[in-house]
Amino acid sequence: MSSRRSGGSRITEEEINELIGKLQSLLPESRRRSMGRASASKLLKEMCNYIKSLHREVDDLSDRLSALMSTMDRDSPQAEIIRNLLR
Amino acid sequence: MQATASFKLTLLRGMLAGLSGVSSRNMGLLERKAAIKHAADMAMAAARGSGARWSRALLTDLSKRKAAPTGAGSRLQSRPLHGCGASSFGRKFLRRSFRERSCRAWKRRPAAPRGVASASILARRMVKKRAQVLRRLVPGADALDGFSLLEETLDYAVSLRAQVELMRGLTGALAHHSGSPAARSYQETNKDS
């Protein structure tokens, strides 16, 4: 996915704009709106916030999964689901 | 910008394999949580393979930690250290030399008169600061800057989002089939989704 460039080769304006566009399209609509006039600083800030929020969500979901799995035993429906999906 | 279908499929398989290892053991809530996070990160990094700096860094770090949770608060385990596994002295040295190098680069530019912090200088400082924060958030991005940093960030964020979406789906599936209080509370808070 990422283009590997050798040291010294110029990065074109077009490549920069494309990358910025992709990063912006990653952000959820609400964050994109709050960015207002785009700037390097704002983009970096929104990316930091976005990644932090994804980390938090993984943490939260891990909590929930842990709680859900704690009631699982070998014969429960959940265990069956997982076994079936693994096949 | 979405992760590819094949990435998501590999991620799913890896996650299920990791989770089945977790479910077969008797553990406390926090220990299981740490194991789940480990499985999730392992699956994500493995699905990406060696083609990205962040996934290589994650794989290296995760295999060092294995599945042994510290049992400490989630903050300690929340994100792995990035970097190539160099000693902390080595890493500090790397960071210092990078700072010196970028300082030298700044000096080459025409300097504003002392005491006058022009808007552009402030803007540059802010960009530097935020890039620093980003480097700490993205595994293996320690030594990256500018375009490379943003490329790596994009790659990582896309994969991370796929990981989140997968875990949401799994949580929903398990909650749906469970009558436990944990499931009920999840179903309540996600009624509209």
Side-chain angles (χ1 to χ4, degrees), chain B residues 14-46:
Chain B
M15 179 71 124
L16 290 175
L19 285 181
S20 67
V22 171
S23 73
S24 61
R25 288 176 6 229
N26 245 326
M27 333 175 150
L29 218 60
L30 280 179
E31 199 187 341
R32 188 178 298 104
K33 174 187 177 174
I36 288 171
K37 285 185 96 168
H38 190 276
D41 278 343
M42 194 56 121
M44 179 176 69

Side-chain angles (χ1 to χ4, degrees), chain B residues 54-100:
Chain B
W54 68 262
S55 56
R56 290 195 299 270
L58 248 191
L59 284 169
T60 307
D61 189 74
L62 286 171
S63 60
K64 277 191 217 146
R65 280 192 290 154
K66 296 207 174 185
T70 63
S74 58
R75 200 165 28 96
L76 278 179
Q77 299 153 13
S78 53
R79 279 303 125 179
L81 302 165
H82 17 274
C84 45
S87 68
S88 65
F89 171 77
R91 241 180 285 137
K92 277 192 199 130
F93 176 77
L94 264 175
R95 226 173 273 143
R96 202 182 312 129
S97 72
F98 268 94
R99 225 185 297 141
E100 282 169 15

Side-chain angles (χ1 to χ4, degrees), chain A residues 18-35:
Chain A
E18 192 186 342
L19 181 57
I20 292 177
K22 284 184 185 163
L23 285 165
Q24 284 178 320
S25 74
L26 255 191
L27 298 172
E29 196 59 48
S30 51
R31 286 183 198 265
R32 234 179 296 171
R33 270 196 302 258
S34 72
M35 253 179 66

Side-chain angles (χ1 to χ4, degrees), chain A:
Chain A
M1 170 196 294
S2 17
S3 47
R4 294 286 158 227
R5 59 196 75 254
S6 53
S9 60
R10 290 214 80 84
I11 302 167
T12 67
E13 188 77 27
E14 192 184 334
E15 283 170 323
I16 295 176
N17 287 331
E18 192 186 342
L19 181 57
I20 292 177
K22 284 184 185 163
L23 285 165
Q24 284 178 320
S25 74
L26 255 191
L27 298 172
E29 196 59 48
S30 51
R31 286 183 198 265
R32 234 179 296 171
R33 270 196 302 258
S34 72
M35 253 179 66
R37 249 180 52 219
S39 70
S41 162
K42 277 189 195 157
L43 183 63
L44 286 173
K45 172 180 138 192
E46 289 304 331
M47 285 313 299
C48 288
N49 289 340
Y50 184 53
I51 292 185
K52 277 190 219 162
S53 81
L54 289 174
H55 285 171
R56 276 196 304 267
E57 200 169 349
V58 168
D59 195 82
D60 180 58
L61 288 166
S62 301
D63 267 321
R64 294 178 189 269
L65 276 172
S66 179
L68 285 168
M69 287 174 74
S70 65
T71 63
M72 251 169 78
D73 56 40
R74 268 180 320 125
D75 305 318
S76 69
Q78 296 97 325
E80 188 61 30
I81 292 174
I82 292 197
R83 270 196 295 269
N84 281 327
L85 288 169
L86 270 176
R87 251 178 239 139

